[in-house]
Coordinates of all heavy atoms in Angstrom, one line a residue:
A34 N 11.0 42.1 141.2 CA 12.4 42.3 141.7 C 12.3 42.1 143.2 O 11.4 42.6 143.9 CB 12.8 43.7 141.4
T35 N 13.3 41.4 143.7 CA 13.5 41.2 145.1 C 14.2 42.4 145.6 O 14.6 43.3 144.9 CB 14.3 39.9 145.4 OG1 15.6 40.1 144.8 CG2 13.6 38.7 144.9
V36 N 14.3 42.4 147.0 CA 15.0 43.6 147.6 C 16.4 43.7 147.0 O 16.8 44.8 146.6 CB 15.0 43.5 149.1 CG1 15.9 44.6 149.7 CG2 13.6 43.6 149.6
P37 N 17.1 42.6 147.0 CA 18.5 42.7 146.4 C 18.4 43.2 144.9 O 19.3 44.0 144.5 CB 19.1 41.3 146.5 CG 18.4 40.8 147.7 CD 17.0 41.3 147.6
E38 N 17.4 42.7 144.3 CA 17.3 43.0 142.8 C 16.9 44.5 142.7 O 17.4 45.2 141.8 CB 16.3 42.2 142.1 CG 16.7 40.8 142.0 CD 15.6 39.8 141.4 OE1 14.5 40.2 141.7 OE2 15.9 38.7 140.9
Q39 N 16.0 45.0 143.6 CA 15.7 46.4 143.6 C 16.9 47.3 143.8 O 17.1 48.3 143.2 CB 14.7 46.7 144.6 CG 13.3 46.1 144.3 CD 12.3 46.3 145.4 OE1 12.6 46.8 146.4 NE2 11.0 45.9 145.2
V40 N 17.7 46.8 144.8 CA 19.0 47.5 145.1 C 19.9 47.5 143.8 O 20.4 48.6 143.4 CB 19.7 46.8 146.2 CG1 21.1 47.5 146.4 CG2 19.0 47.0 147.5
A41 N 19.9 46.3 143.2 CA 20.7 46.2 141.9 C 20.1 47.1 140.9 O 20.9 47.7 140.1 CB 20.7 44.8 141.5
G42 N 18.8 47.2 140.8 CA 18.1 48.1 139.8 C 18.4 49.5 140.1 O 18.6 50.3 139.2
G43 N 18.6 49.8 141.4 CA 18.9 51.2 141.7 C 20.3 51.6 141.3 O 20.6 52.7 141.0
I44 N 21.2 50.5 141.3 CA 22.5 50.8 140.9 C 22.6 50.8 139.4 O 23.5 51.5 138.8 CB 23.4 49.6 141.4 CG1 23.4 49.7 142.9 CG2 24.9 49.8 140.9 CD1 24.1 48.5 143.5
L45 N 21.7 50.1 138.6 CA 21.8 49.9 137.2 C 21.7 51.2 136.4 O 22.6 51.4 135.6 CB 20.7 49.0 136.8 CG 20.6 48.8 135.2 CD1 21.8 48.1 134.8 CD2 19.3 48.0 134.9
S46 N 20.9 52.1 136.8 CA 20.8 53.3 136.1 C 22.1 54.2 136.0 O 22.5 54.6 135.0 CB 19.7 54.2 136.7 OG 19.6 55.4 135.9
P47 N 22.7 54.4 137.2 CA 24.0 55.2 137.1 C 25.1 54.4 136.4 O 25.9 55.0 135.7 CB 24.3 55.4 138.6 CG 23.5 54.4 139.3 CD 22.3 54.2 138.6
L48 N 25.0 53.0 136.5 CA 26.0 52.2 135.8 C 25.8 52.4 134.3 O 26.8 52.4 133.6 CB 25.9 50.8 136.2 CG 26.5 50.4 137.6 CD1 26.2 48.9 137.9 CD2 27.9 50.8 137.8
Q49 N 24.6 52.3 133.9 CA 24.3 52.5 132.4 C 24.8 53.9 131.9 O 25.3 54.0 130.8 CB 22.8 52.4 132.2 CG 22.3 51.0 132.3 CD 20.8 50.8 132.1 OE1 20.1 51.8 132.5 NE2 20.4 49.8 131.6
S50 N 24.7 55.0 132.8 CA 25.1 56.2 132.5 C 26.7 56.3 132.3 O 27.3 56.9 131.5 CB 24.6 57.3 133.5 OG 25.2 58.5 133.2
L51 N 27.3 55.6 133.3 CA 28.7 55.5 133.3 C 29.2 54.8 132.1 O 30.2 55.1 131.4 CB 29.2 54.7 134.6 CG 30.7 54.5 134.7 CD1 31.5 55.8 134.7 CD2 31.0 53.6 135.9
F52 N 28.5 53.7 131.7 CA 28.8 52.9 130.5 C 28.8 53.8 129.2 O 29.6 53.8 128.4 CB 27.9 51.7 130.4 CG 28.1 51.0 129.1 CD1 29.2 50.3 128.8 CD2 27.0 51.0 128.1 CE1 29.3 49.6 127.6 CE2 27.2 50.4 126.9 CZ 28.4 49.6 126.6
S53 N 27.7 54.6 129.2 CA 27.4 55.5 128.0 C 28.6 56.5 127.9 O 29.1 56.7 126.9 CB 26.1 56.2 128.2 OG 26.0 57.1 127.1
N54 N 29.0 57.0 129.1 CA 30.1 58.0 129.0 C 31.4 57.3 128.7 O 32.3 57.9 128.0 CB 30.3 58.6 130.5 CG 29.1 59.5 130.9 OD1 28.4 60.0 129.9 ND2 28.9 59.7 132.1
A55 N 31.6 56.1 129.1 CA 32.8 55.4 128.8 C 32.8 55.1 127.2 O 33.9 55.3 126.6 CB 32.9 54.0 129.5
V56 N 31.7 54.7 126.7 CA 31.6 54.5 125.3 C 31.9 55.8 124.5 O 32.6 55.8 123.5 CB 30.2 54.0 124.9 CG1 30.1 53.9 123.4 CG2 30.0 52.5 125.4
D57 N 31.4 56.9 125.0 CA 31.7 58.2 124.4 C 33.2 58.5 124.4 O 33.7 59.0 123.4 CB 30.9 59.3 125.0 CG 29.4 59.2 124.8 OD1 29.0 58.5 123.7 OD2 28.6 59.8 125.5
A58 N 33.8 58.2 125.6 CA 35.2 58.4 125.7 C 36.0 57.6 124.7 O 37.0 58.1 124.1 CB 35.6 58.1 127.1
V59 N 35.6 56.4 124.6 CA 36.3 55.5 123.6 C 36.2 56.0 122.2 O 37.1 56.1 121.4 CB 35.8 54.0 123.6 CG1 36.4 53.2 122.6 CG2 36.1 53.5 125.0
G60 N 34.9 56.5 121.9 CA 34.6 57.1 120.6 C 35.5 58.3 120.3 O 36.0 58.5 119.2
D61 N 35.6 59.1 121.4 CA 36.4 60.3 121.2 C 37.9 60.0 121.0 O 38.6 60.7 120.3 CB 36.3 61.2 122.5 CG 34.9 61.9 122.6 OD1 34.2 61.9 121.6 OD2 34.5 62.2 123.7
F62 N 38.3 58.9 121.7 CA 39.8 58.5 121.5 C 40.0 58.1 120.1 O 41.1 58.6 119.6 CB 40.0 57.3 122.5 CG 41.3 56.7 122.2 CD1 42.5 57.3 122.7 CD2 41.5 55.4 121.6 CE1 43.8 56.7 122.5 CE2 42.7 54.9 121.4 CZ 43.8 55.5 121.9
F63 N 39.3 57.3 119.5 CA 39.5 56.9 118.1 C 39.2 58.1 117.2 O 39.9 58.1 116.1 CB 38.6 55.7 117.8 CG 39.1 54.4 118.4 CD1 38.4 53.9 119.5 CD2 40.2 53.8 117.9 CE1 38.8 52.7 120.0 CE2 40.6 52.6 118.5 CZ 40.0 52.0 119.7
S64 N 38.3 59.0 117.5 CA 38.0 60.1 116.8 C 39.4 61.0 116.8 O 39.7 61.6 115.7 CB 36.9 60.9 117.1 OG 36.7 62.1 116.5
G65 N 40.0 61.1 118.0 CA 41.2 61.9 118.0 C 42.3 61.4 117.1 O 43.1 62.1 116.6
L66 N 42.3 60.0 117.0 CA 43.3 59.4 116.1 C 43.1 59.9 114.7 O 44.1 60.3 114.0 CB 43.2 57.8 116.1 CG 43.6 57.3 117.4 CD1 43.5 55.7 117.3 CD2 45.0 57.5 117.7
G67 N 41.9 60.1 114.3 CA 41.6 60.6 112.9 C 42.0 62.1 112.9 O 42.5 62.5 111.9
D68 N 41.8 62.8 114.0 CA 42.2 64.3 114.0 C 43.7 64.4 113.9 O 44.2 65.3 113.2 CB 41.7 64.9 115.3 CG 40.2 65.0 115.3 OD1 39.6 64.9 114.3 OD2 39.6 65.2 116.4
D69 N 44.5 63.5 114.5 CA 45.9 63.5 114.4 C 46.4 63.2 113.0 O 47.3 63.9 112.5 CB 46.5 62.4 115.3 CG 46.4 62.7 116.8 OD1 46.2 63.8 117.1 OD2 46.5 61.8 117.6
T70 N 45.7 62.4 112.3 CA 46.0 62.2 110.9 C 45.8 63.4 110.1 O 46.7 63.8 109.2 CB 45.2 61.1 110.3 OG1 45.4 59.9 111.0 CG2 45.5 60.8 108.8
A71 N 44.7 64.1 110.4 CA 44.4 65.4 109.6 C 45.4 66.5 110.0 O 45.8 67.2 109.1 CB 43.0 65.8 110.0
L72 N 45.9 66.5 111.3 CA 46.8 67.4 111.7 C 48.2 67.2 111.0 O 48.9 68.1 110.6 CB 47.0 67.4 113.2 CG 45.9 68.0 114.0 CD1 46.1 67.8 115.5 CD2 45.8 69.6 113.8
R73 N 48.6 65.9 110.9 CA 49.8 65.6 110.2 C 49.8 66.0 108.8 O 50.8 66.6 108.2 CB 50.1 64.1 110.3 CG 50.6 63.6 111.7 CD 51.2 62.2 111.6 NE 50.2 61.2 111.3 CZ 49.4 60.5 112.2 NH1 49.6 60.8 113.5 NH2 48.5 59.6 111.8
E74 N 48.6 65.7 108.1 CA 48.5 66.2 106.7 C 48.6 67.7 106.5 O 49.2 68.2 105.6 CB 47.2 65.6 106.1 CG 47.1 64.1 106.0 CD 45.7 63.7 105.5 OE1 44.8 64.5 105.4 OE2 45.6 62.4 105.2
E75 N 47.9 68.4 107.5 CA 48.0 69.9 107.5 C 49.4 70.4 107.7 O 49.9 71.3 107.1 CB 47.0 70.4 108.5 CG 47.0 71.9 108.5 CD 46.0 72.5 109.5 OE1 45.3 71.7 110.2 OE2 45.8 73.8 109.6
N76 N 50.1 69.7 108.7 CA 51.4 70.0 109.0 C 52.4 69.9 107.8 O 53.2 70.7 107.4 CB 52.0 69.2 110.1 CG 53.3 69.7 110.6 OD1 53.6 70.8 110.7 ND2 54.2 68.7 110.9
E77 N 52.2 68.7 107.0 CA 53.0 68.5 105.8 C 52.7 69.6 104.7 O 53.6 70.1 104.0 CB 52.7 67.1 105.3 CG 53.2 66.0 106.1 CD 54.7 66.0 106.3 OE1 55.4 66.4 105.3 OE2 55.2 65.8 107.4
Q78 N 51.4 69.9 104.6 CA 51.1 71.0 103.7 C 51.7 72.3 104.0 O 52.2 73.0 103.2 CB 49.5 71.1 103.6 CG 49.0 72.2 102.6 CD 47.5 72.3 102.5 OE1 46.9 71.5 103.2 NE2 47.1 73.2 101.8
L79 N 51.6 72.6 105.3 CA 52.3 73.9 105.7 C 53.8 73.9 105.5 O 54.4 74.9 105.1 CB 52.0 74.1 107.3 CG 50.6 74.5 107.6 CD1 50.4 74.5 109.1 CD2 50.2 75.8 106.9
K80 N 54.4 72.7 105.8 CA 55.9 72.6 105.4 C 56.1 72.8 104.0 O 57.1 73.5 103.6 CB 56.4 71.2 105.8 CG 56.5 71.0 107.4 CD 57.1 69.6 107.7 CE 57.3 69.4 109.2 NZ 57.8 68.1 109.4
Q81 N 55.3 72.2 103.1 CA 55.5 72.4 101.6 C 55.3 73.9 101.3 O 56.1 74.4 100.4 CB 54.4 71.6 100.9 CG 54.5 71.7 99.4 CD 55.8 71.2 98.9 OE1 56.3 70.1 99.3 NE2 56.4 71.9 97.9

Side-chain angles (χ1 to χ4, degrees):
T35 62
V36 172
E38 290 171 340
Q39 290 176 354
V40 173
I44 299 173
L45 179 60
S46 179
L48 286 177
Q49 287 175 329
S50 176
L51 178 62
F52 172 69
S53 177
N54 292 335
V56 171
D57 291 341
V59 173
D61 291 341
F62 171 75
F63 287 105
S64 176
L66 292 179
D68 292 341
D69 287 343
T70 301
L72 287 173
R73 283 196 296 271
E74 291 176 353
E75 183 178 359
N76 187 42
E77 290 300 321
Q78 182 178 355
L79 290 174
K80 286 182 179 179
Q81 181 63 44

